[in-house]
Amino acid sequence: GTFVPCPSAVQAFCAEHSPDLVICDPAADFLELDNENDAAQMRVAVLALLGAIHSGAPQAGILLVHHARVGRGATMGGADPYDSGAYARGSKALLARARWQVNVLKTEEPDVLVLGCGKANNAAAFPDVALRLEEGAGYALAPDFDLTDWRSRLARPNARKATCPPHADVIEVLGGDRLTKVDLAARL
């Protein structure tokens, strides 16, 4: 698509093309602001962008694609019904204007994503759903992915470390001796 970074250009583009749907991906590239963590700046920028779109294409649907926070804690929050609205990066002024928020959550499986409901105004929240990337076909429902087990693994603070053998097992594999770094390097 055409990159239109400022509200006046967005308005002109929408007036000329009369789109049914305007997708701003990533939204930050269409917002005139210096700091997306500043609530006042975010509010002004979002209102300017939405006003420009509505002025140029009053009936158009609007989809703002905004990046999430990163890390295990963010994913845990995105999967938690109480914290899922805070999954987006930066100021929550964007969330305040949103009518609907979908969280796209990573899993340990590189081909599986979980979609979660971050916000739903005037509609019921949808339940989390797992999607698997199918070669040549895009994403499809993954009914075999256990969402309950995934949430449980997320909640365990040392889940990533669970695959590491206990120290006693390592010592046994190395011949039962406690080794200095130099001795360990020599045995490896």
Side-chain angles (χ1 to χ4, degrees), residues 1 3 25 46 52 55 58 61 66-67 76 79 81 88 91 140-141 150 158 165 171-172 181 185:
F3 180 69
D25 180 8
V46 168
S55 173
H66 188 58
H67 289 238
M76 286 174 57
S91 167
L141 291 175
W150 172 70
N158 296 321
I171 292 169
E172 183 179 324
K181 289 180 186 177

PDB file of all heavy atoms in Angstrom, residues 1 3 25 46 52 55 58 61 66-67 76 79 81 88 91 140-141 150 158 165 171-172 181 185:
ATOM      1  N   GLY A   1       0.800  -1.178   0.000  1.00  0.00           N
ATOM      2  CA  GLY A   1       0.000   0.000   0.000  1.00  0.00           C
ATOM      3  C   GLY A   1       0.851   1.254   0.000  1.00  0.00           C
ATOM      4  O   GLY A   1       2.065   1.229   0.000  1.00  0.00           O
ATOM      5  N   PHE A   3       2.290   4.584   1.669  1.00  0.00           N
ATOM      6  CA  PHE A   3       2.636   5.071   3.000  1.00  0.00           C
ATOM      7  C   PHE A   3       2.229   6.536   3.101  1.00  0.00           C
ATOM      8  O   PHE A   3       2.652   7.364   2.306  1.00  0.00           O
ATOM      9  CB  PHE A   3       4.132   4.909   3.252  1.00  0.00           C
ATOM     10  CG  PHE A   3       4.549   5.398   4.596  1.00  0.00           C
ATOM     11  CD1 PHE A   3       4.151   4.723   5.736  1.00  0.00           C
ATOM     12  CD2 PHE A   3       5.318   6.532   4.731  1.00  0.00           C
ATOM     13  CE1 PHE A   3       4.516   5.170   6.977  1.00  0.00           C
ATOM     14  CE2 PHE A   3       5.694   6.994   5.977  1.00  0.00           C
ATOM     15  CZ  PHE A   3       5.301   6.312   7.101  1.00  0.00           C
ATOM     16  N   ASP A  25      -0.520   0.022   9.626  1.00  0.00           N
ATOM     17  CA  ASP A  25       0.357  -1.021  10.155  1.00  0.00           C
ATOM     18  C   ASP A  25       1.808  -0.683   9.852  1.00  0.00           C
ATOM     19  O   ASP A  25       2.198  -0.695   8.680  1.00  0.00           O
ATOM     20  CB  ASP A  25      -0.021  -2.352   9.513  1.00  0.00           C
ATOM     21  CG  ASP A  25       0.825  -3.507  10.005  1.00  0.00           C
ATOM     22  OD1 ASP A  25       1.606  -3.339  10.959  1.00  0.00           O
ATOM     23  OD2 ASP A  25       0.700  -4.607   9.426  1.00  0.00           O
ATOM     24  N   VAL A  46      -3.733  10.122  18.135  1.00  0.00           N
ATOM     25  CA  VAL A  46      -4.767   9.156  17.739  1.00  0.00           C
ATOM     26  C   VAL A  46      -6.024   9.888  17.280  1.00  0.00           C
ATOM     27  O   VAL A  46      -6.618   9.540  16.244  1.00  0.00           O
ATOM     28  CB  VAL A  46      -5.087   8.176  18.892  1.00  0.00           C
ATOM     29  CG1 VAL A  46      -6.336   7.371  18.599  1.00  0.00           C
ATOM     30  CG2 VAL A  46      -3.901   7.251  19.130  1.00  0.00           C
ATOM     31  N   ALA A  52      -8.823  12.416  10.652  1.00  0.00           N
ATOM     32  CA  ALA A  52      -8.439  12.487   9.242  1.00  0.00           C
ATOM     33  C   ALA A  52      -9.080  11.357   8.446  1.00  0.00           C
ATOM     34  O   ALA A  52      -9.599  11.576   7.347  1.00  0.00           O
ATOM     35  CB  ALA A  52      -6.917  12.419   9.113  1.00  0.00           C
ATOM     36  N   SER A  55     -12.848  12.012   8.206  1.00  0.00           N
ATOM     37  CA  SER A  55     -13.115  13.145   7.324  1.00  0.00           C
ATOM     38  C   SER A  55     -13.030  12.731   5.857  1.00  0.00           C
ATOM     39  O   SER A  55     -13.853  13.144   5.040  1.00  0.00           O
ATOM     40  CB  SER A  55     -12.114  14.266   7.614  1.00  0.00           C
ATOM     41  OG  SER A  55     -12.238  15.306   6.682  1.00  0.00           O
ATOM     42  N   PRO A  58     -15.851   8.682   5.652  1.00  0.00           N
ATOM     43  CA  PRO A  58     -16.689   8.612   6.856  1.00  0.00           C
ATOM     44  C   PRO A  58     -17.211   7.207   7.198  1.00  0.00           C
ATOM     45  O   PRO A  58     -17.449   6.921   8.365  1.00  0.00           O
ATOM     46  CB  PRO A  58     -17.852   9.553   6.545  1.00  0.00           C
ATOM     47  CG  PRO A  58     -17.411  10.389   5.408  1.00  0.00           C
ATOM     48  CD  PRO A  58     -16.353   9.623   4.680  1.00  0.00           C
ATOM     49  N   GLY A  61     -14.098   1.398   7.925  1.00  0.00           N
ATOM     50  CA  GLY A  61     -13.642   0.751   9.146  1.00  0.00           C
ATOM     51  C   GLY A  61     -12.161   1.077   9.332  1.00  0.00           C
ATOM     52  O   GLY A  61     -11.450   1.364   8.359  1.00  0.00           O
ATOM     53  N   HIS A  66      -0.903  -2.257  16.317  1.00  0.00           N
ATOM     54  CA  HIS A  66       0.072  -1.686  17.245  1.00  0.00           C
ATOM     55  C   HIS A  66       0.878  -2.816  17.874  1.00  0.00           C
ATOM     56  O   HIS A  66       0.329  -3.876  18.184  1.00  0.00           O
ATOM     57  CB  HIS A  66      -0.661  -0.887  18.325  1.00  0.00           C
ATOM     58  CG  HIS A  66       0.247  -0.104  19.220  1.00  0.00           C
ATOM     59  ND1 HIS A  66       1.119   0.847  18.736  1.00  0.00           N
ATOM     60  CD2 HIS A  66       0.413  -0.121  20.556  1.00  0.00           C
ATOM     61  CE1 HIS A  66       1.770   1.377  19.751  1.00  0.00           C
ATOM     62  NE2 HIS A  66       1.374   0.804  20.866  1.00  0.00           N
ATOM     63  N   HIS A  67       2.145  -2.585  18.065  1.00  0.00           N
ATOM     64  CA  HIS A  67       3.016  -3.626  18.600  1.00  0.00           C
ATOM     65  C   HIS A  67       2.771  -3.853  20.086  1.00  0.00           C
ATOM     66  O   HIS A  67       2.389  -2.947  20.828  1.00  0.00           O
ATOM     67  CB  HIS A  67       4.481  -3.269  18.352  1.00  0.00           C
ATOM     68  CG  HIS A  67       4.838  -3.387  16.909  1.00  0.00           C
ATOM     69  ND1 HIS A  67       5.836  -4.201  16.451  1.00  0.00           N
ATOM     70  CD2 HIS A  67       4.318  -2.814  15.806  1.00  0.00           C
ATOM     71  CE1 HIS A  67       5.916  -4.122  15.140  1.00  0.00           C
ATOM     72  NE2 HIS A  67       5.006  -3.275  14.725  1.00  0.00           N
ATOM     73  N   MET A  76       2.268 -13.372  29.470  1.00  0.00           N
ATOM     74  CA  MET A  76       1.402 -13.810  30.570  1.00  0.00           C
ATOM     75  C   MET A  76       0.252 -12.824  30.762  1.00  0.00           C
ATOM     76  O   MET A  76      -0.896 -13.227  30.927  1.00  0.00           O
ATOM     77  CB  MET A  76       2.201 -13.932  31.870  1.00  0.00           C
ATOM     78  CG  MET A  76       3.117 -15.130  31.918  1.00  0.00           C
ATOM     79  SD  MET A  76       4.157 -15.150  33.396  1.00  0.00           S
ATOM     80  CE  MET A  76       2.956 -15.092  34.702  1.00  0.00           C
ATOM     81  N   ALA A  79      -2.410 -13.026  28.114  1.00  0.00           N
ATOM     82  CA  ALA A  79      -3.240 -14.226  28.220  1.00  0.00           C
ATOM     83  C   ALA A  79      -4.154 -14.192  29.441  1.00  0.00           C
ATOM     84  O   ALA A  79      -4.995 -15.059  29.606  1.00  0.00           O
ATOM     85  CB  ALA A  79      -2.350 -15.469  28.293  1.00  0.00           C
ATOM     86  N   PRO A  81      -7.172 -12.593  31.593  1.00  0.00           N
ATOM     87  CA  PRO A  81      -8.331 -11.734  31.344  1.00  0.00           C
ATOM     88  C   PRO A  81      -8.276 -10.398  32.092  1.00  0.00           C
ATOM     89  O   PRO A  81      -8.839  -9.418  31.643  1.00  0.00           O
ATOM     90  CB  PRO A  81      -9.520 -12.560  31.827  1.00  0.00           C
ATOM     91  CG  PRO A  81      -9.030 -13.940  32.022  1.00  0.00           C
ATOM     92  CD  PRO A  81      -7.538 -13.894  32.125  1.00  0.00           C
ATOM     93  N   ALA A  88      -0.603  -4.073  24.833  1.00  0.00           N
ATOM     94  CA  ALA A  88      -0.020  -3.173  23.839  1.00  0.00           C
ATOM     95  C   ALA A  88       1.098  -2.340  24.455  1.00  0.00           C
ATOM     96  O   ALA A  88       1.069  -2.004  25.630  1.00  0.00           O
ATOM     97  CB  ALA A  88      -1.094  -2.263  23.265  1.00  0.00           C
ATOM     98  N   SER A  91       1.619   4.098  25.761  1.00  0.00           N
ATOM     99  CA  SER A  91       0.517   4.696  26.513  1.00  0.00           C
ATOM    100  C   SER A  91      -0.800   3.947  26.278  1.00  0.00           C
ATOM    101  O   SER A  91      -1.060   3.461  25.180  1.00  0.00           O
ATOM    102  CB  SER A  91       0.340   6.152  26.084  1.00  0.00           C
ATOM    103  OG  SER A  91      -0.878   6.654  26.559  1.00  0.00           O
ATOM    104  N   ALA A 140      -4.489 -21.756  10.488  1.00  0.00           N
ATOM    105  CA  ALA A 140      -5.754 -22.473  10.656  1.00  0.00           C
ATOM    106  C   ALA A 140      -5.920 -22.776  12.146  1.00  0.00           C
ATOM    107  O   ALA A 140      -4.942 -22.771  12.905  1.00  0.00           O
ATOM    108  CB  ALA A 140      -5.732 -23.774   9.850  1.00  0.00           C
ATOM    109  N   LEU A 141      -7.142 -23.033  12.557  1.00  0.00           N
ATOM    110  CA  LEU A 141      -7.388 -23.389  13.950  1.00  0.00           C
ATOM    111  C   LEU A 141      -6.524 -24.581  14.342  1.00  0.00           C
ATOM    112  O   LEU A 141      -6.315 -25.495  13.545  1.00  0.00           O
ATOM    113  CB  LEU A 141      -8.864 -23.718  14.168  1.00  0.00           C
ATOM    114  CG  LEU A 141      -9.822 -22.537  14.063  1.00  0.00           C
ATOM    115  CD1 LEU A 141     -11.267 -23.021  14.174  1.00  0.00           C
ATOM    116  CD2 LEU A 141      -9.529 -21.496  15.126  1.00  0.00           C
ATOM    117  N   TRP A 150      -0.775 -24.541  28.138  1.00  0.00           N
ATOM    118  CA  TRP A 150       0.065 -23.403  27.747  1.00  0.00           C
ATOM    119  C   TRP A 150       0.033 -22.315  28.818  1.00  0.00           C
ATOM    120  O   TRP A 150       1.070 -21.804  29.226  1.00  0.00           O
ATOM    121  CB  TRP A 150      -0.412 -22.868  26.400  1.00  0.00           C
ATOM    122  CG  TRP A 150       0.239 -21.589  25.971  1.00  0.00           C
ATOM    123  CD1 TRP A 150       1.533 -21.422  25.573  1.00  0.00           C
ATOM    124  CD2 TRP A 150      -0.372 -20.313  25.899  1.00  0.00           C
ATOM    125  NE1 TRP A 150       1.756 -20.101  25.243  1.00  0.00           N
ATOM    126  CE2 TRP A 150       0.601 -19.406  25.438  1.00  0.00           C
ATOM    127  CE3 TRP A 150      -1.650 -19.834  26.158  1.00  0.00           C
ATOM    128  CZ2 TRP A 150       0.333 -18.056  25.239  1.00  0.00           C
ATOM    129  CZ3 TRP A 150      -1.917 -18.500  25.960  1.00  0.00           C
ATOM    130  CH2 TRP A 150      -0.929 -17.619  25.508  1.00  0.00           C
ATOM    131  N   ASN A 158       9.906 -20.707  36.383  1.00  0.00           N
ATOM    132  CA  ASN A 158      11.124 -21.335  35.881  1.00  0.00           C
ATOM    133  C   ASN A 158      10.837 -22.324  34.763  1.00  0.00           C
ATOM    134  O   ASN A 158      11.584 -23.270  34.567  1.00  0.00           O
ATOM    135  CB  ASN A 158      11.868 -22.046  37.018  1.00  0.00           C
ATOM    136  CG  ASN A 158      12.343 -21.065  38.060  1.00  0.00           C
ATOM    137  OD1 ASN A 158      12.782 -19.978  37.728  1.00  0.00           O
ATOM    138  ND2 ASN A 158      12.217 -21.435  39.316  1.00  0.00           N
ATOM    139  N   PRO A 165      19.120 -30.148  33.323  1.00  0.00           N
ATOM    140  CA  PRO A 165      19.225 -31.194  34.343  1.00  0.00           C
ATOM    141  C   PRO A 165      19.684 -30.599  35.676  1.00  0.00           C
ATOM    142  O   PRO A 165      20.403 -29.602  35.696  1.00  0.00           O
ATOM    143  CB  PRO A 165      20.269 -32.147  33.778  1.00  0.00           C
ATOM    144  CG  PRO A 165      21.046 -31.325  32.804  1.00  0.00           C
ATOM    145  CD  PRO A 165      20.116 -30.272  32.285  1.00  0.00           C
ATOM    146  N   ILE A 171      26.856 -33.521  37.482  1.00  0.00           N
ATOM    147  CA  ILE A 171      28.049 -34.032  38.161  1.00  0.00           C
ATOM    148  C   ILE A 171      28.204 -35.523  37.896  1.00  0.00           C
ATOM    149  O   ILE A 171      29.298 -36.005  37.594  1.00  0.00           O
ATOM    150  CB  ILE A 171      27.995 -33.729  39.668  1.00  0.00           C
ATOM    151  CG1 ILE A 171      28.114 -32.205  39.869  1.00  0.00           C
ATOM    152  CG2 ILE A 171      29.093 -34.469  40.428  1.00  0.00           C
ATOM    153  CD1 ILE A 171      27.810 -31.748  41.275  1.00  0.00           C
ATOM    154  N   GLU A 172      27.082 -36.268  37.941  1.00  0.00           N
ATOM    155  CA  GLU A 172      27.140 -37.704  37.689  1.00  0.00           C
ATOM    156  C   GLU A 172      27.595 -37.987  36.257  1.00  0.00           C
ATOM    157  O   GLU A 172      28.437 -38.854  36.017  1.00  0.00           O
ATOM    158  CB  GLU A 172      25.769 -38.337  37.932  1.00  0.00           C
ATOM    159  CG  GLU A 172      25.774 -39.847  37.752  1.00  0.00           C
ATOM    160  CD  GLU A 172      24.404 -40.449  38.014  1.00  0.00           C
ATOM    161  OE1 GLU A 172      23.694 -39.953  38.905  1.00  0.00           O
ATOM    162  OE2 GLU A 172      24.060 -41.413  37.310  1.00  0.00           O
ATOM    163  N   LYS A 181      36.444 -24.843  36.646  1.00  0.00           N
ATOM    164  CA  LYS A 181      36.170 -24.498  35.249  1.00  0.00           C
ATOM    165  C   LYS A 181      37.273 -25.044  34.334  1.00  0.00           C
ATOM    166  O   LYS A 181      36.999 -25.530  33.245  1.00  0.00           O
ATOM    167  CB  LYS A 181      36.074 -22.983  35.091  1.00  0.00           C
ATOM    168  CG  LYS A 181      34.835 -22.392  35.704  1.00  0.00           C
ATOM    169  CD  LYS A 181      34.816 -20.877  35.498  1.00  0.00           C
ATOM    170  CE  LYS A 181      33.642 -20.261  36.231  1.00  0.00           C
ATOM    171  NZ  LYS A 181      33.627 -18.805  36.124  1.00  0.00           N
ATOM    172  N   ALA A 185      36.572 -27.764  31.412  1.00  0.00           N
ATOM    173  CA  ALA A 185      36.958 -27.483  30.017  1.00  0.00           C
ATOM    174  C   ALA A 185      37.832 -28.579  29.468  1.00  0.00           C
ATOM    175  O   ALA A 185      37.693 -28.996  28.303  1.00  0.00           O
ATOM    176  CB  ALA A 185      37.645 -26.131  29.928  1.00  0.00           C
TER     177      ALA A 185
END
